Amino acid sequence: YKRKLVSAEEAVKVVKSGDKVLIAWLSGAPVTLCQALSKRKDELENVTINETIAWVHFAWHEPGTEKAFKLIKCHLVGVDHDALEDGRRMEFVPWYTWHPRDQMAPGDEVGGAVGVYDADVFMVLITAPDKNGFCSFGDVVWASKTASRHAKIVIGEVNESPIRTYGDNYIHVSEIDYFVENKSAMPETISAPPRTHHASSHAAKGRTDAETASIEVIGETVATDIIRDGDTLEMGVGMVSSAIPAYLYNKHDIGIHSEGYPGAIVDLVRDGIVTGKRKTLNPGKVVATTMFRASPEQKVYANENPVFELRDVSYTNSFRVIIAHDNLVAINTALSVDLTGQIASESIGPRLVGASGGQTDFQIGAHHSRGGRGVTVLLSTAKEGKLSRIVPGFEPGTIVTIPRPYADYIVTEYGMARLRGKSLRERINELIAIAHPDFRAELRNEAKRLYGIWM
């Protein structure tokens, strides 16, 4: 370890013009190394930055750095939208999960996993090695273990803040080429500069009392009417889905197999609600690839707790693994749902505002799980009640995240629609019934105009 210890500036000198640099995901991003690499913008050319998901603003997001850095993303957050709309600074790859290399045909892996298999340099945040020489990736694994094994050079930024969990959450010092120590405390939330134009219509704002009340109604509906004792849950991110754990305290033996989960799940483990006793796979374990949305106190509880296993995303989001779970309930949010049951979670028209995440994987997986259910939660309106999220049809260019054959439960504050196996007329009736009352007459008229269905 000591022989490989260098400064951040020394470590990033290994990056050459034309290289592909992969940066670890979410809170696994090594901020000090990224800042050091950013400073080399005037001496490098055509370096591909596979950043995937990050909350931090670096030089490669700025205008004027196109000659040095080519940014590739498969998930968008606030810091990314200006660069994407510029059209020169960023390329978006509509990709999310990926297959293990041994399941691919020869050559298919090249570029097919956003740098996971073909990175020249992989940079990742880790803990210091333990007495056996193993470091942890902290509260997010994603594809870090796999990327470390395939990259030509691996640089680990060592920080005391990351936690240790069980599962795939480890790497040995022998697998890392350079270590850089960063003794500063990692910030709980790293904020990006505000966008300069075209602010998203669903950008985060302070909730109104009415929104809070509506979210609570949705959470209680899902917990009471859909989730059963012994179910295994997947929970996507979002303010609506994050409200559901608070209403699970009358349930028993809930299991978790998810990409990520709200921090409240940690509290449910501590309080004996999440036991995983009835899980088909990994009974007694909370399995995900990240728990980065947990609070510092919740992470302390999960630290070195054998109940929590962070696995590679190729495992957590694998159809084979998801489908093997009986009674899997996938719960995710959406931007809008059309009257036929198509679900959009990524764009408003052609304008990207996010990515699918694991939603498509888990929604389709839940459809094929024995006893499985797919749940989409959303507020009935947007823009302070001016727009309905239940729409007659999508704007041209809107990305369909979940095709209508896989739509199952749709829940708003006005109730629950069950679409699986329903006719078009039945779907339209159920969806109008859970739309905001102010828009129901318009939706009925549009159903007649577009689909020839009289309500």
Short mmCIF file of all heavy atoms in Angstrom, two decimals, residues 243-301:
data_model
loop_
_atom_site.label_atom_id
_atom_site.label_comp_id
_atom_site.label_asym_id
_atom_site.label_seq_id
_atom_site.Cartn_x
_atom_site.Cartn_y
_atom_site.Cartn_z
N ALA A 243 -41.77 7.63 0.24
CA ALA A 243 -42.73 7.76 1.33
C ALA A 243 -43.29 6.43 1.78
O ALA A 243 -43.89 6.33 2.87
CB ALA A 243 -43.88 8.67 0.89
N ILE A 244 -43.11 5.39 1.00
CA ILE A 244 -43.77 4.11 1.27
C ILE A 244 -43.26 3.41 2.53
O ILE A 244 -44.05 2.86 3.30
CB ILE A 244 -43.65 3.21 0.03
CG1 ILE A 244 -44.48 3.83 -1.11
CG2 ILE A 244 -44.12 1.78 0.32
CD1 ILE A 244 -44.23 3.23 -2.46
N PRO A 245 -41.94 3.39 2.81
CA PRO A 245 -41.47 2.65 4.00
C PRO A 245 -42.15 3.06 5.30
O PRO A 245 -42.34 2.22 6.19
CB PRO A 245 -39.97 2.97 4.03
CG PRO A 245 -39.61 3.21 2.61
CD PRO A 245 -40.80 3.90 2.03
N ALA A 246 -42.56 4.30 5.42
CA ALA A 246 -43.18 4.76 6.67
C ALA A 246 -44.49 4.03 6.96
O ALA A 246 -44.94 4.00 8.12
CB ALA A 246 -43.44 6.27 6.59
N TYR A 247 -45.10 3.42 5.93
CA TYR A 247 -46.39 2.75 6.11
C TYR A 247 -46.27 1.23 6.15
O TYR A 247 -47.27 0.52 6.04
CB TYR A 247 -47.34 3.18 4.99
CG TYR A 247 -47.64 4.65 5.05
CD1 TYR A 247 -46.88 5.57 4.33
CD2 TYR A 247 -48.65 5.15 5.89
CE1 TYR A 247 -47.13 6.93 4.41
CE2 TYR A 247 -48.91 6.51 5.98
CZ TYR A 247 -48.15 7.39 5.24
OH TYR A 247 -48.39 8.74 5.33
N LEU A 248 -45.05 0.74 6.34
CA LEU A 248 -44.83 -0.71 6.35
C LEU A 248 -44.75 -1.29 7.76
O LEU A 248 -44.46 -2.49 7.90
CB LEU A 248 -43.55 -1.05 5.58
CG LEU A 248 -43.56 -0.74 4.08
CD1 LEU A 248 -42.20 -1.06 3.46
CD2 LEU A 248 -44.66 -1.53 3.36
N TYR A 249 -45.00 -0.50 8.77
CA TYR A 249 -44.78 -0.97 10.13
C TYR A 249 -45.83 -1.96 10.63
O TYR A 249 -45.67 -2.54 11.70
CB TYR A 249 -44.65 0.22 11.09
CG TYR A 249 -43.24 0.77 11.10
CD1 TYR A 249 -42.84 1.72 10.16
CD2 TYR A 249 -42.29 0.30 12.00
CE1 TYR A 249 -41.54 2.20 10.14
CE2 TYR A 249 -40.98 0.77 11.98
CZ TYR A 249 -40.62 1.72 11.05
OH TYR A 249 -39.31 2.18 11.03
N ASN A 250 -46.88 -2.20 9.83
CA ASN A 250 -47.81 -3.26 10.20
C ASN A 250 -47.59 -4.52 9.36
O ASN A 250 -48.41 -5.44 9.38
CB ASN A 250 -49.26 -2.79 10.05
CG ASN A 250 -49.61 -2.44 8.60
OD1 ASN A 250 -48.71 -2.24 7.78
ND2 ASN A 250 -50.88 -2.37 8.29
N LYS A 251 -46.49 -4.54 8.59
CA LYS A 251 -46.15 -5.70 7.77
C LYS A 251 -45.14 -6.59 8.48
O LYS A 251 -44.49 -6.18 9.45
CB LYS A 251 -45.58 -5.24 6.42
CG LYS A 251 -46.51 -4.35 5.60
CD LYS A 251 -47.77 -5.08 5.18
CE LYS A 251 -48.67 -4.18 4.35
NZ LYS A 251 -49.93 -4.84 3.96
N HIS A 252 -44.99 -7.81 7.96
CA HIS A 252 -44.08 -8.77 8.59
C HIS A 252 -43.19 -9.41 7.52
O HIS A 252 -43.64 -9.71 6.41
CB HIS A 252 -44.86 -9.87 9.31
CG HIS A 252 -45.76 -9.35 10.39
ND1 HIS A 252 -47.07 -8.96 10.16
CD2 HIS A 252 -45.53 -9.13 11.71
CE1 HIS A 252 -47.61 -8.54 11.28
NE2 HIS A 252 -46.70 -8.63 12.24
N ASP A 253 -41.94 -9.62 7.88
CA ASP A 253 -40.98 -10.38 7.07
C ASP A 253 -40.85 -9.84 5.64
O ASP A 253 -40.79 -10.61 4.67
CB ASP A 253 -41.38 -11.86 7.03
CG ASP A 253 -41.29 -12.51 8.40
OD1 ASP A 253 -40.48 -12.04 9.22
OD2 ASP A 253 -42.04 -13.47 8.66
N ILE A 254 -40.77 -8.53 5.51
CA ILE A 254 -40.52 -7.92 4.20
C ILE A 254 -39.07 -8.19 3.81
O ILE A 254 -38.16 -8.19 4.64
CB ILE A 254 -40.78 -6.40 4.26
CG1 ILE A 254 -42.26 -6.12 4.56
CG2 ILE A 254 -40.35 -5.72 2.97
CD1 ILE A 254 -43.21 -6.64 3.51
N GLY A 255 -38.87 -8.45 2.52
CA GLY A 255 -37.52 -8.65 1.99
C GLY A 255 -37.15 -7.52 1.05
O GLY A 255 -38.02 -6.81 0.54
N ILE A 256 -35.86 -7.35 0.81
CA ILE A 256 -35.37 -6.30 -0.10
C ILE A 256 -34.41 -6.91 -1.12
O ILE A 256 -33.41 -7.53 -0.75
CB ILE A 256 -34.66 -5.16 0.66
CG1 ILE A 256 -35.58 -4.51 1.68
CG2 ILE A 256 -34.11 -4.13 -0.33
CD1 ILE A 256 -36.76 -3.77 1.10
N HIS A 257 -34.74 -6.76 -2.40
CA HIS A 257 -33.79 -7.00 -3.49
C HIS A 257 -33.99 -5.84 -4.44
O HIS A 257 -35.02 -5.74 -5.11
CB HIS A 257 -34.02 -8.32 -4.21
CG HIS A 257 -33.05 -8.51 -5.34
ND1 HIS A 257 -31.83 -9.14 -5.17
CD2 HIS A 257 -33.08 -8.11 -6.64
CE1 HIS A 257 -31.17 -9.13 -6.32
NE2 HIS A 257 -31.90 -8.51 -7.23
N SER A 258 -33.03 -4.93 -4.51
CA SER A 258 -33.25 -3.66 -5.19
C SER A 258 -31.94 -3.16 -5.78
O SER A 258 -30.86 -3.66 -5.45
CB SER A 258 -33.80 -2.64 -4.18
OG SER A 258 -34.26 -1.48 -4.81
N GLU A 259 -32.06 -2.20 -6.68
CA GLU A 259 -30.86 -1.51 -7.15
C GLU A 259 -30.35 -0.60 -6.05
O GLU A 259 -29.19 -0.61 -5.69
CB GLU A 259 -31.20 -0.73 -8.41
CG GLU A 259 -30.05 0.06 -8.97
CD GLU A 259 -30.48 0.94 -10.10
OE1 GLU A 259 -31.37 0.55 -10.88
OE2 GLU A 259 -29.94 2.06 -10.22
N GLY A 260 -31.23 0.21 -5.52
CA GLY A 260 -30.96 1.04 -4.35
C GLY A 260 -32.22 1.07 -3.52
O GLY A 260 -33.22 0.43 -3.87
N TYR A 261 -32.21 1.80 -2.43
CA TYR A 261 -33.42 1.90 -1.62
C TYR A 261 -33.35 3.13 -0.73
O TYR A 261 -32.26 3.62 -0.43
CB TYR A 261 -33.63 0.64 -0.77
CG TYR A 261 -32.42 0.20 0.01
CD1 TYR A 261 -32.07 0.81 1.22
CD2 TYR A 261 -31.62 -0.84 -0.44
CE1 TYR A 261 -30.96 0.40 1.92
CE2 TYR A 261 -30.52 -1.26 0.26
CZ TYR A 261 -30.19 -0.63 1.44
OH TYR A 261 -29.08 -1.03 2.15
N PRO A 262 -34.51 3.64 -0.31
CA PRO A 262 -34.50 4.78 0.62
C PRO A 262 -33.83 4.40 1.94
O PRO A 262 -33.88 3.23 2.36
CB PRO A 262 -35.98 5.08 0.83
CG PRO A 262 -36.69 4.39 -0.28
CD PRO A 262 -35.86 3.22 -0.66
N GLY A 263 -33.23 5.37 2.59
CA GLY A 263 -32.57 5.10 3.85
C GLY A 263 -33.50 4.54 4.91
O GLY A 263 -33.06 3.83 5.83
N ALA A 264 -34.80 4.82 4.78
CA ALA A 264 -35.77 4.32 5.76
C ALA A 264 -35.80 2.80 5.82
O ALA A 264 -36.25 2.23 6.82
CB ALA A 264 -37.16 4.87 5.44
N ILE A 265 -35.34 2.14 4.77
CA ILE A 265 -35.28 0.67 4.80
C ILE A 265 -34.33 0.20 5.91
O ILE A 265 -34.56 -0.83 6.56
CB ILE A 265 -34.84 0.13 3.43
CG1 ILE A 265 -35.90 0.41 2.38
CG2 ILE A 265 -34.54 -1.37 3.50
CD1 ILE A 265 -37.24 -0.24 2.61
N VAL A 266 -33.26 0.94 6.14
CA VAL A 266 -32.32 0.59 7.21
C VAL A 266 -33.05 0.61 8.55
O VAL A 266 -32.87 -0.28 9.40
CB VAL A 266 -31.13 1.56 7.23
CG1 VAL A 266 -30.17 1.21 8.36
CG2 VAL A 266 -30.39 1.53 5.88
N ASP A 267 -33.92 1.60 8.75
CA ASP A 267 -34.69 1.68 9.99
C ASP A 267 -35.64 0.49 10.12
O ASP A 267 -35.85 -0.04 11.21
CB ASP A 267 -35.50 2.98 10.03
CG ASP A 267 -34.61 4.22 9.98
OD1 ASP A 267 -33.45 4.13 10.44
OD2 ASP A 267 -35.07 5.26 9.49
N LEU A 268 -36.22 0.05 8.98
CA LEU A 268 -37.12 -1.10 9.02
C LEU A 268 -36.39 -2.39 9.35
O LEU A 268 -36.97 -3.30 9.95
CB LEU A 268 -37.85 -1.23 7.67
CG LEU A 268 -38.85 -0.13 7.34
CD1 LEU A 268 -39.38 -0.30 5.92
CD2 LEU A 268 -40.01 -0.12 8.33
N VAL A 269 -35.12 -2.48 8.97
CA VAL A 269 -34.30 -3.63 9.38
C VAL A 269 -34.07 -3.58 10.88
O VAL A 269 -34.28 -4.58 11.60
CB VAL A 269 -32.95 -3.63 8.63
CG1 VAL A 269 -32.04 -4.73 9.19
CG2 VAL A 269 -33.15 -3.81 7.14
N ARG A 270 -33.67 -2.43 11.37
CA ARG A 270 -33.41 -2.26 12.80
C ARG A 270 -34.65 -2.56 13.63
O ARG A 270 -34.56 -3.14 14.72
CB ARG A 270 -32.95 -0.83 13.04
CG ARG A 270 -32.59 -0.49 14.49
CD ARG A 270 -32.56 1.01 14.70
NE ARG A 270 -33.88 1.59 14.40
CZ ARG A 270 -34.08 2.81 13.95
NH1 ARG A 270 -33.05 3.61 13.70
NH2 ARG A 270 -35.30 3.26 13.73
N ASP A 271 -35.83 -2.20 13.10
CA ASP A 271 -37.07 -2.35 13.85
C ASP A 271 -37.76 -3.69 13.62
O ASP A 271 -38.87 -3.92 14.11
CB ASP A 271 -38.04 -1.22 13.51
CG ASP A 271 -37.50 0.14 13.93
OD1 ASP A 271 -36.65 0.18 14.85
OD2 ASP A 271 -37.90 1.17 13.34
N GLY A 272 -37.14 -4.59 12.85
CA GLY A 272 -37.66 -5.94 12.70
C GLY A 272 -38.74 -6.12 11.66
O GLY A 272 -39.34 -7.20 11.57
N ILE A 273 -39.00 -5.11 10.83
CA ILE A 273 -40.02 -5.23 9.78
C ILE A 273 -39.42 -5.92 8.55
O ILE A 273 -40.03 -6.80 7.96
CB ILE A 273 -40.58 -3.85 9.39
CG1 ILE A 273 -41.08 -3.11 10.63
CG2 ILE A 273 -41.67 -3.99 8.34
CD1 ILE A 273 -42.14 -3.84 11.41
N VAL A 274 -38.23 -5.50 8.17
CA VAL A 274 -37.50 -6.14 7.07
C VAL A 274 -36.61 -7.23 7.66
O VAL A 274 -35.63 -6.93 8.34
CB VAL A 274 -36.66 -5.12 6.28
CG1 VAL A 274 -35.73 -5.83 5.30
CG2 VAL A 274 -37.56 -4.15 5.53
N THR A 275 -37.01 -8.47 7.43
CA THR A 275 -36.22 -9.61 7.91
C THR A 275 -35.70 -10.46 6.75
O THR A 275 -34.69 -11.14 6.89
CB THR A 275 -37.05 -10.51 8.82
OG1 THR A 275 -38.10 -11.14 8.05
CG2 THR A 275 -37.67 -9.72 9.96
N GLY A 276 -36.41 -10.43 5.62
CA GLY A 276 -36.00 -11.24 4.47
C GLY A 276 -36.14 -12.73 4.68
O GLY A 276 -35.61 -13.52 3.90
N LYS A 277 -36.87 -13.15 5.68
CA LYS A 277 -36.97 -14.59 5.99
C LYS A 277 -37.62 -15.39 4.87
O LYS A 277 -37.33 -16.57 4.71
CB LYS A 277 -37.77 -14.78 7.28
CG LYS A 277 -37.05 -14.34 8.54
CD LYS A 277 -37.91 -14.59 9.77
CE LYS A 277 -37.20 -14.15 11.05
NZ LYS A 277 -38.06 -14.35 12.25
N ARG A 278 -38.50 -14.74 4.11
CA ARG A 278 -39.25 -15.48 3.09
C ARG A 278 -38.69 -15.26 1.68
O ARG A 278 -39.31 -15.66 0.70
CB ARG A 278 -40.72 -15.08 3.12
CG ARG A 278 -41.38 -15.24 4.49
CD ARG A 278 -42.89 -15.06 4.37
NE ARG A 278 -43.48 -14.63 5.64
CZ ARG A 278 -44.76 -14.34 5.80
NH1 ARG A 278 -45.58 -14.43 4.76
NH2 ARG A 278 -45.23 -13.94 6.98
N LYS A 279 -37.54 -14.62 1.55
CA LYS A 279 -36.96 -14.38 0.23
C LYS A 279 -36.58 -15.70 -0.43
O LYS A 279 -36.05 -16.60 0.21
CB LYS A 279 -35.73 -13.48 0.34
CG LYS A 279 -36.02 -12.03 0.64
CD LYS A 279 -34.72 -11.22 0.72
CE LYS A 279 -34.04 -11.11 -0.62
NZ LYS A 279 -32.80 -10.31 -0.54
N THR A 280 -36.82 -15.76 -1.74
CA THR A 280 -36.43 -16.95 -2.50
C THR A 280 -34.92 -17.06 -2.62
O THR A 280 -34.34 -18.13 -2.48
CB THR A 280 -37.06 -16.90 -3.91
OG1 THR A 280 -38.42 -16.48 -3.81
CG2 THR A 280 -37.00 -18.26 -4.58
N LEU A 281 -34.27 -15.94 -2.90
CA LEU A 281 -32.81 -15.89 -2.99
C LEU A 281 -32.28 -15.02 -1.84
O LEU A 281 -32.90 -14.06 -1.43
CB LEU A 281 -32.36 -15.27 -4.31
CG LEU A 281 -32.77 -15.96 -5.61
CD1 LEU A 281 -32.16 -15.24 -6.80
CD2 LEU A 281 -32.36 -17.42 -5.61
N ASN A 282 -31.12 -15.38 -1.34
CA ASN A 282 -30.44 -14.61 -0.29
C ASN A 282 -31.37 -14.31 0.90
O ASN A 282 -31.53 -13.15 1.30
CB ASN A 282 -29.90 -13.29 -0.86
CG ASN A 282 -29.02 -13.50 -2.08
OD1 ASN A 282 -28.04 -14.23 -2.02
ND2 ASN A 282 -29.38 -12.87 -3.19
N PRO A 283 -32.00 -15.34 1.46
CA PRO A 283 -32.89 -15.09 2.60
C PRO A 283 -32.12 -14.45 3.77
O PRO A 283 -30.96 -14.78 4.02
CB PRO A 283 -33.40 -16.49 2.97
CG PRO A 283 -32.43 -17.43 2.36
CD PRO A 283 -31.91 -16.78 1.13
N GLY A 284 -32.79 -13.53 4.43
CA GLY A 284 -32.19 -12.85 5.57
C GLY A 284 -31.25 -11.72 5.20
O GLY A 284 -30.71 -11.07 6.10
N LYS A 285 -31.08 -11.44 3.90
CA LYS A 285 -30.13 -10.41 3.46
C LYS A 285 -30.87 -9.27 2.75
O LYS A 285 -31.81 -9.50 1.99
CB LYS A 285 -29.08 -10.99 2.51
CG LYS A 285 -28.32 -12.18 3.07
CD LYS A 285 -27.47 -11.81 4.28
CE LYS A 285 -26.65 -13.01 4.76
NZ LYS A 285 -25.85 -12.67 5.95
N VAL A 286 -30.42 -8.05 3.00
CA VAL A 286 -30.86 -6.88 2.24
C VAL A 286 -29.87 -6.69 1.11
O VAL A 286 -28.70 -6.36 1.34
CB VAL A 286 -30.91 -5.63 3.14
CG1 VAL A 286 -31.21 -4.38 2.30
CG2 VAL A 286 -31.97 -5.80 4.22
N VAL A 287 -30.31 -6.93 -0.12
CA VAL A 287 -29.41 -6.93 -1.27
C VAL A 287 -29.72 -5.74 -2.19
O VAL A 287 -30.87 -5.50 -2.55
CB VAL A 287 -29.55 -8.24 -2.07
CG1 VAL A 287 -28.65 -8.22 -3.31
CG2 VAL A 287 -29.18 -9.44 -1.18
N ALA A 288 -28.68 -4.99 -2.53
CA ALA A 288 -28.79 -3.87 -3.46
C ALA A 288 -27.40 -3.62 -4.02
O ALA A 288 -26.42 -4.28 -3.63
CB ALA A 288 -29.33 -2.63 -2.77
N THR A 289 -27.29 -2.65 -4.92
CA THR A 289 -25.96 -2.26 -5.39
C THR A 289 -25.53 -0.93 -4.81
O THR A 289 -24.36 -0.57 -4.90
CB THR A 289 -25.90 -2.23 -6.94
OG1 THR A 289 -24.53 -2.17 -7.35
CG2 THR A 289 -26.65 -1.04 -7.51
N THR A 290 -26.47 -0.19 -4.21
CA THR A 290 -26.12 1.07 -3.56
C THR A 290 -27.10 1.39 -2.45
O THR A 290 -28.27 1.05 -2.52
CB THR A 290 -26.11 2.24 -4.57
OG1 THR A 290 -25.90 3.47 -3.87
CG2 THR A 290 -27.41 2.34 -5.32
N MET A 291 -26.59 2.05 -1.41
CA MET A 291 -27.45 2.60 -0.37
C MET A 291 -27.05 4.05 -0.11
O MET A 291 -27.11 4.55 1.01
CB MET A 291 -27.34 1.78 0.92
CG MET A 291 -25.94 1.60 1.45
SD MET A 291 -25.89 0.68 3.00
CE MET A 291 -26.77 1.80 4.08
N PHE A 292 -26.66 4.73 -1.19
CA PHE A 292 -26.08 6.07 -1.02
C PHE A 292 -27.08 7.09 -0.50
O PHE A 292 -26.70 8.15 -0.03
CB PHE A 292 -25.46 6.55 -2.34
CG PHE A 292 -26.44 7.12 -3.32
CD1 PHE A 292 -26.53 8.49 -3.50
CD2 PHE A 292 -27.26 6.30 -4.08
CE1 PHE A 292 -27.42 9.02 -4.42
CE2 PHE A 292 -28.15 6.83 -4.99
CZ PHE A 292 -28.24 8.20 -5.17
N ARG A 293 -28.37 6.80 -0.56
CA ARG A 293 -29.36 7.76 -0.07
C ARG A 293 -29.64 7.60 1.42
O ARG A 293 -30.51 8.29 1.96
CB ARG A 293 -30.66 7.63 -0.87
CG ARG A 293 -30.52 8.14 -2.30
CD ARG A 293 -31.84 8.19 -3.02
NE ARG A 293 -31.68 8.69 -4.38
CZ ARG A 293 -31.69 9.97 -4.73
NH1 ARG A 293 -31.84 10.89 -3.80
NH2 ARG A 293 -31.54 10.33 -5.98
N ALA A 294 -28.93 6.73 2.08
CA ALA A 294 -29.10 6.58 3.52
C ALA A 294 -28.40 7.73 4.25
O ALA A 294 -27.43 8.31 3.76
CB ALA A 294 -28.53 5.24 3.99
N SER A 295 -28.89 8.04 5.45
CA SER A 295 -28.28 9.09 6.26
C SER A 295 -26.99 8.59 6.89
O SER A 295 -26.74 7.37 6.94
CB SER A 295 -29.25 9.51 7.37
OG SER A 295 -29.37 8.46 8.33
N PRO A 296 -26.14 9.47 7.39
CA PRO A 296 -24.91 9.02 8.07
C PRO A 296 -25.20 8.03 9.20
O PRO A 296 -24.48 7.05 9.38
CB PRO A 296 -24.29 10.32 8.59
CG PRO A 296 -24.78 11.37 7.64
CD PRO A 296 -26.16 10.95 7.26
N GLU A 297 -26.26 8.27 9.97
CA GLU A 297 -26.60 7.37 11.08
C GLU A 297 -27.04 6.00 10.56
O GLU A 297 -26.68 4.97 11.15
CB GLU A 297 -27.72 7.99 11.92
CG GLU A 297 -27.34 9.25 12.67
CD GLU A 297 -27.26 10.48 11.78
OE1 GLU A 297 -27.83 10.47 10.66
OE2 GLU A 297 -26.62 11.48 12.19
N GLN A 298 -27.78 6.00 9.47
CA GLN A 298 -28.22 4.73 8.89
C GLN A 298 -27.03 3.95 8.32
O GLN A 298 -26.99 2.72 8.41
CB GLN A 298 -29.28 5.00 7.82
CG GLN A 298 -30.60 5.47 8.40
CD GLN A 298 -31.50 6.15 7.39
OE1 GLN A 298 -31.04 6.60 6.33
NE2 GLN A 298 -32.78 6.23 7.68
N LYS A 299 -26.08 4.67 7.73
CA LYS A 299 -24.89 4.00 7.21
C LYS A 299 -24.05 3.40 8.33
O LYS A 299 -23.45 2.32 8.18
CB LYS A 299 -24.07 4.97 6.37
CG LYS A 299 -24.75 5.36 5.07
CD LYS A 299 -23.93 6.39 4.31
CE LYS A 299 -24.67 6.86 3.08
NZ LYS A 299 -23.94 7.89 2.32
N VAL A 300 -24.00 4.08 9.47
CA VAL A 300 -23.27 3.53 10.62
C VAL A 300 -23.89 2.20 11.04
O VAL A 300 -23.20 1.24 11.36
CB VAL A 300 -23.29 4.54 11.80
CG1 VAL A 300 -22.83 3.87 13.09
CG2 VAL A 300 -22.39 5.72 11.48
N TYR A 301 -25.24 2.12 11.02
CA TYR A 301 -25.92 0.88 11.39
C TYR A 301 -25.60 -0.25 10.40
O TYR A 301 -25.44 -1.41 10.78
CB TYR A 301 -27.43 1.10 11.44
CG TYR A 301 -28.20 -0.13 11.85
CD1 TYR A 301 -28.32 -0.51 13.18
CD2 TYR A 301 -28.81 -0.94 10.88
CE1 TYR A 301 -29.01 -1.65 13.55
CE2 TYR A 301 -29.51 -2.08 11.24
CZ TYR A 301 -29.61 -2.42 12.57
OH TYR A 301 -30.29 -3.56 12.92
#
